[in-house]
Amino acid sequence: MLTWMQHHKKYLVITIWISVIAFVGAGFVGWGSYDFNTDRSNSIAKVGKEKISYEEFNLKYSQLFNYYSQLNNGNYTQEQAKKDGLDTLAINELIQEKLLLSYAKTLGLEVSEEEVAYDLAHQKIFHNASGVFDKKLYYSILSRNNYTSKAYEKLIHDELLLKKINMILNLQVKNEELDMFGASFLMQDRLKIQVIHASNNIVINEDELKQTWEKNKELYKTQKNYELATYFLKPNEEKIDDKELQTYYDENKNNYKDFSGKILSLEQSKNQIIKDMKLAKLKLKANENYVALRKNELSFDQNISISDADIYYPLELIQKSKEGDFIKPFKFKDGYMIAKIVKINPAQIMSFEQAKNEVKKLYIKEKTKSLLEEKAKLALENFQGIDIGTYSRDSTKTAKVGEMMNDTEFSEFLMQVFDSNKIKSYVLFDNKAVVYEIIEQTLENKNKEEIYKIIIEQSARQTKQSLLKEELLKKLIELYPIQRYYKGNTN
């Protein structure tokens, strides 16, 4: 599925810009095993001198999740995202961005504070009822989303710098290139196909399984975890009178807006206002209890153990702290929590037995793909395909294809056929391979070229820029060393 959607990006005008809207998109989730040490407590990877923070990672993941969810009419789940390796795609995109940022700085490209301020001032979500940038509202929205102004303004800075480097890479397309691309886009192939299904009965060889673990054991680590002594405070159940509620609303109503920026009425935002008022009162008490805990005048009420995947805790602060340090009151669930770091347990490589169940998943996936590819190559030598008719790059599935492929698989299949220069080959899916042969090629009616003119021009420009960027990135990898700390989910 992900491959199909990525292919379609070539033919759609799609750009995912950094935006505060991403904060309210897909919820942040636990990603799996992180690999942080003291030197990299705030980053999941490093490109040259550019670090990738886990906040950037979560934001990029949310942007991509929203994008693919929209392409699937909202039917895109976290389970599908994990299967597609969306977390790996997110970090790969961030690494590419950091490579380009590093290069932009080497070239001497800069973004001024004035440019950042101008961009920020024109983000409507931070505008008050008069349509003017509201500093108080800005800090409030960032605070509710656990973001600092410094971190957010750095995102804007990097976005503007990426725009500048992309402008340099945005070369004009020549007429000959348009003609060639148009011919490729309007080409029709008459196809014969044969579907080969993957085996569901993979026999596990213990020696091979252990070899798989040996080759990939860096992927299988226990999570770094922190043993904490905690003290939790919940708001009391006291009623807030209407006068107090009205006063608070009048003073803070700019903090309560819908996604279009319209201020919500008192009635519409009443529940959130009551919650905010109770939390404000509770914070005063939490600060008093924090002092009492430090003086041993109060005892912690629960010991817990958390990891770098427990995003509901102030991980950035905890990762910077050492054993014996106190963590000031922070919002947790419906109240405030105070914590003390009792012990820090570093991540360690799992033994073969500890990692065995996870290694089996990788082993079965690799073995299934290997056997499926062998069967596809054998079928290619003794091709027995059936004629399914003539198709262009943007064709939809016909009755001749039937149940051999679903709509998504068929779209991906066509993309790979038209992106390949082979007359006979195969396309691999998770559970099947489709072997094909092109038995005839024709050009569609030239009148169709006019219909698709804008798409062809955009696609040609994007493809040319993509190829140029791809070659540039190969060189940049040699200039700016990449260190990955986050290993990703293993399906």
Side-chain angles (χ1 to χ4, degrees):
M1 179 184 288
L2 197 57
T3 308
W4 171 78
M5 290 186 285
Q6 285 176 274
H7 274 299
H8 272 66
K9 287 171 75 176
K10 293 180 182 179
Y11 305 100
L12 299 172
V13 184
I14 295 166
T15 309
I16 304 174
W17 294 115
I18 295 168
S19 167
V20 75
I21 299 300
F23 288 131
V24 292
F28 291 167
V29 297
W31 309 116
S33 297
Y34 290 82
D35 176 23
F36 295 114
N37 64 22
T38 307
D39 297 327
R40 27 174 145 126
S41 61
N42 296 320
S43 58
I44 60 165
K46 189 177 180 183
V47 181
K49 296 180 180 179
E50 298 283 332
K51 291 183 178 181
I52 299 175
S53 68
Y54 66 84
E55 291 98 341
E56 289 177 287
F57 180 46
N58 287 340
L59 179 56
K60 176 63 72 175
Y61 184 97
S62 295
Q63 290 172 328
L64 291 171
F65 186 94
N66 287 342
Y67 165 57
Y68 291 124
S69 183
Q70 288 171 17
L71 283 186
N72 286 271
N73 298 317
N75 299 317
Y76 192 70
T77 63
Q78 292 290 359
E79 289 73 22
Q80 185 63 48
K82 184 176 181 181
K83 181 181 177 183
D84 289 338
L86 197 65
D87 57 336
T88 302
L89 178 60
I91 192 171
N92 286 343
E93 287 207 5
L94 284 168
I95 285 173
Q96 288 186 4
E97 288 176 7
K98 296 298 184 183
L99 284 168
L100 291 171
L101 285 170
S102 298
Y103 184 55
K105 291 174 182 177
T106 301
L107 291 178
L109 296 179
E110 295 180 350
V111 173
S112 67
E113 291 183 4
E114 290 76 12
E115 288 175 289
V116 174
Y118 180 85
D119 188 278
L120 184 58
H122 286 77
Q123 293 186 13
K124 292 185 178 179
I125 197 164
F126 301 129
H127 289 184
N128 58 26
S130 302
V132 178
F133 179 82
D134 188 322
K135 192 173 182 180
K136 184 178 179 182
L137 177 61
Y138 170 59
Y139 287 123
S140 174
I141 290 176
L142 292 188
S143 176
R144 290 205 299 269
N145 288 281
N146 298 316
Y147 243 77
T148 65
S149 58
K150 182 179 179 181
Y152 185 67
E153 285 158 25
K154 184 181 183 301
L155 288 178
I156 296 174
H157 172 278
D158 289 352
E159 175 192 346
L160 294 174
L161 194 53
L162 282 172
K163 283 183 181 180
K164 291 186 178 184
I165 193 69
N166 277 314
M167 284 177 66
I168 294 174
L169 299 175
N170 190 15
L171 302 180
Q172 290 296 316
V173 181
K174 299 176 182 177
N175 290 332
E176 311 88 82
E177 293 171 327
L178 278 176
D179 291 340
M180 182 175 64
F181 202 88
S184 172
F185 189 84
L186 299 172
M187 184 69 69
Q188 289 183 310
D189 288 346
R190 186 176 168 193
L191 298 165
K192 291 177 72 173
I193 67 169
Q194 179 183 353
V195 176
I196 309 296
H197 293 281
S199 172
N200 292 322
N201 300 311
I202 301 298
V203 178
I204 295 177
N205 180 299
E206 285 292 318
D207 290 336
E208 290 179 351
L209 186 65
K210 195 160 188 177
Q211 287 171 14
T212 301
W213 170 74
E214 284 286 356
K215 288 187 295 184
N216 299 280
K217 61 183 178 182
E218 285 292 328
L219 297 176
Y220 303 102
K221 293 187 177 184
T222 60
Q223 290 186 343
K224 181 179 182 180
N225 67 74
Y226 310 85
E227 295 176 23
L228 306 178
T230 65
Y231 187 89
F232 182 64
L233 299 91
K234 289 183 66 175
N236 58 42
E237 297 301 320
E238 66 172 331
K239 288 195 69 176
I240 296 175
D241 63 65
D242 292 341
K243 185 178 179 181
E244 189 179 3
L245 194 67
Q246 184 67 55
T247 300
Y248 186 89
Y249 174 75
D250 291 340
E251 292 175 353
N252 299 278
K253 60 184 176 182
N254 280 328
N255 292 344
Y256 304 97
K257 295 183 177 183
D258 62 18
F259 294 143
S260 67
K262 182 181 177 182
I263 295 176
L264 300 172
S265 66
L266 173 59
E267 194 59 36
Q268 289 173 313
S269 53
K270 187 174 181 178
N271 291 338
Q272 186 60 46
I273 292 172
I274 291 172
K275 182 180 177 182
D276 290 346
M277 291 179 72
K278 287 185 176 181
L279 282 174
K281 292 180 180 180
L282 184 66
K283 188 172 184 180
L284 295 173
K285 184 179 179 183
N287 287 334
E288 292 174 0
N289 287 358
Y290 172 74
V291 174
L293 285 164
R294 288 187 66 94
K295 292 181 177 179
N296 288 323
E297 296 172 357
L298 194 63
S299 299
F300 289 97
D301 52 25
Q302 186 179 11
N303 290 333
I304 63 172
S305 179
I306 70 167
S307 73
D308 286 317
D310 291 311
I311 60 170
Y312 298 105
Y313 296 85
L315 292 175
E316 186 173 359
L317 184 58
I318 290 171
Q319 289 160 357
K320 289 179 180 177
S321 302
K322 58 183 183 297
E323 293 180 3
D325 285 355
F326 285 79
I327 307 299
K328 291 182 178 180
F330 57 91
K331 288 181 184 177
F332 184 76
K333 295 184 178 178
D334 57 347
Y336 273 94
M337 179 177 281
I338 305 164
K340 180 182 179 181
I341 299 178
V342 178
K343 189 177 180 183
I344 300 174
N345 300 307
Q348 295 180 331
I349 293 175
M350 293 182 183
S351 67
F352 172 65
E353 289 301 322
Q354 286 177 308
K356 192 171 184 178
N357 288 335
E358 289 301 311
V359 176
K360 278 182 182 178
K361 296 176 185 177
L362 178 61
Y363 174 84
I364 290 171
K365 183 177 180 179
E366 290 181 346
K367 195 75 172 178
T368 300
K369 183 178 179 181
S370 174
L371 293 174
L372 181 60
E373 191 160 16
E374 285 179 17
K375 289 168 72 175
K377 288 176 179 177
L378 185 61
L380 196 60
E381 293 175 7
N382 307 283
F383 190 58
Q384 302 282 325
I386 61 170
D387 188 339
I388 60 169
T390 301
Y391 299 87
S392 57
R393 187 185 287 272
D394 58 345
S395 295
T396 55
K397 193 179 84 168
T398 66
K400 288 185 178 180
V401 179
E403 300 300 317
M404 290 187 283
M405 285 179 275
N406 60 36
D407 291 343
T408 301
E409 289 170 340
F410 187 66
S411 294
E412 182 179 338
F413 168 72
L414 285 182
M415 285 297 169
Q416 293 202 39
V417 169
F418 281 97
D419 283 346
S420 173
N421 58 2
K422 297 178 180 178
I423 295 176
K424 291 177 67 174
S425 188
Y426 54 85
V427 175
L428 292 175
F429 296 99
D430 289 339
N431 60 349
K432 71 182 72 167
V434 181
V435 185
Y436 69 86
E437 180 180 10
I438 300 171
I439 55 178
E440 186 181 30
Q441 285 190 321
T442 57
L443 276 176
E444 292 188 73
N445 190 322
K446 286 290 287 184
N447 291 335
K448 196 171 182 181
E449 187 172 349
E450 192 61 31
I451 298 173
Y452 287 104
K453 182 178 179 181
I454 294 176
I455 295 177
I456 290 171
E457 288 178 358
Q458 291 173 342
S459 299
R461 188 183 295 274
Q462 286 181 336
T463 301
K464 188 170 183 177
Q465 184 185 42
S466 177
L467 291 171
L468 178 60
K469 188 181 290 186
E470 186 179 329
E471 291 304 312
L472 175 61
L473 287 169
K474 289 178 183 177
K475 296 296 182 183
L476 296 183
I477 289 171
E478 299 172 8
L479 293 175
Y480 309 105
I482 298 170
Q483 299 176 57
R484 288 174 180 255
Y485 312 136
Y486 173 70
K487 303 304 181 183
N489 286 308
T490 303
N491 297 324

